[in-house]
Amino acid sequence: MTQAPQTASGDSLDALATTGPRGRGKPSLALCVLLCAAANATAAVLLLLFGRPLLPQQETLRLWSTGFGAASNSQHLTDPYSFMHAVFGAGLCLFLDRLKPDWPVRSKLAVAVLGSVLWEIVENTPMVIDLFNASNQPGAYSGDTILNALSDTGFVMLGFLAARFVGWRGTLLLALLVEVALSATIGDGFVLGILAVFGLF
């Protein structure tokens, strides 16, 4: 059974991810870091254009917050949802490992960062903010601060790197623990969140 040929764009992407723009060796670490930094800077600018503040507007910035009022929810540096972003990053790591096993880790990490940045932009659009508030999720959500959004992407990176060390079994175990812990403590998580959005919880 012959394998279907890849498209030219797919071949170009694979070549860029595995050998870099110069076609010699894997992409440099500096290039991947620059790409991640540029993606986060772009997200910050777009969120600013969306009217999102850099820091909490009604409270003093905290390293950790469990508040679910509009003044606290996703406004501070870290919160319970940070763990969900870490699980998301770990899941992206496993997915990319299976989809693109020949890509170097730095290229996969850059893709994971781009995926996180894209979600942060979509999450802070008025339509998605209204969708979250219309569902039966805990508290009130007015969008992320720019600092919180950047922190979320940082946790995606941490989750990605953690998955590299613990493997798929360890990642699955940690994901289940996070899901159970968040469901029990804040009444939210991946499963409950999806059910709430679709009006099933």
Side-chain angles (χ1 to χ4, degrees):
M1 181 177 179
T2 59
Q3 186 177 9
Q6 289 186 312
T7 63
S9 60
D11 289 339
S12 298
L13 181 60
D14 283 337
L16 182 63
T18 54
T19 62
R22 297 182 180 180
R24 297 195 303 270
K26 57 188 176 182
S28 69
L29 180 60
L31 176 62
C32 292
V33 170
L34 181 61
L35 178 61
C36 292
N40 279 287
T42 300
V45 171
L46 288 175
L47 293 181
L48 189 64
L49 294 175
F50 289 171
R52 305 306 309 140
L54 175 62
L55 302 172
Q57 298 294 286
Q58 302 178 44
E59 297 180 341
T60 302
L61 176 65
R62 295 195 293 270
L63 295 179
W64 170 259
S65 172
T66 56
F68 287 101
S72 301
N73 194 5
S74 296
Q75 302 297 295
H76 297 276
L77 186 63
T78 61
D79 52 49
Y81 293 110
S82 300
F83 295 104
M84 291 179 62
H85 287 279
V87 171
F88 177 60
L92 284 176
C93 176
L94 298 181
F95 175 73
L96 290 169
D97 272 349
R98 186 167 184 82
L99 183 67
K100 298 293 183 181
D102 296 330
W103 283 20
V105 175
R106 61 188 61 171
S107 295
K108 296 174 187 176
L109 180 58
V111 171
V113 169
L114 290 175
S116 175
V117 165
L118 180 61
W119 167 246
E120 291 302 324
I121 293 170
V122 171
E123 183 186 26
N124 283 277
T125 58
M127 181 181 69
V128 175
I129 291 174
D130 291 343
L131 178 64
F132 283 155
N133 285 314
S135 65
N136 191 29
Q137 292 186 321
Y141 179 63
S142 60
D144 296 358
T145 60
I146 295 174
L147 178 67
N148 180 266
L150 295 177
S151 173
D152 287 344
T153 296
F155 273 89
V156 167
M157 296 174 68
L158 289 175
F160 181 100
L161 295 174
R164 299 291 306 174
F165 287 99
V166 302
W168 72 266
R169 291 184 179 85
T171 298
L172 180 59
L173 177 60
L174 290 175
L176 289 173
L177 290 175
V178 168
E179 186 71 16
V180 170
L182 292 181
S183 298
T185 56
I186 66 173
D188 205 355
F190 285 108
V191 175
L192 293 183
I194 292 172
L195 292 176
V197 166
F198 286 98
L200 302 175
F201 171 73

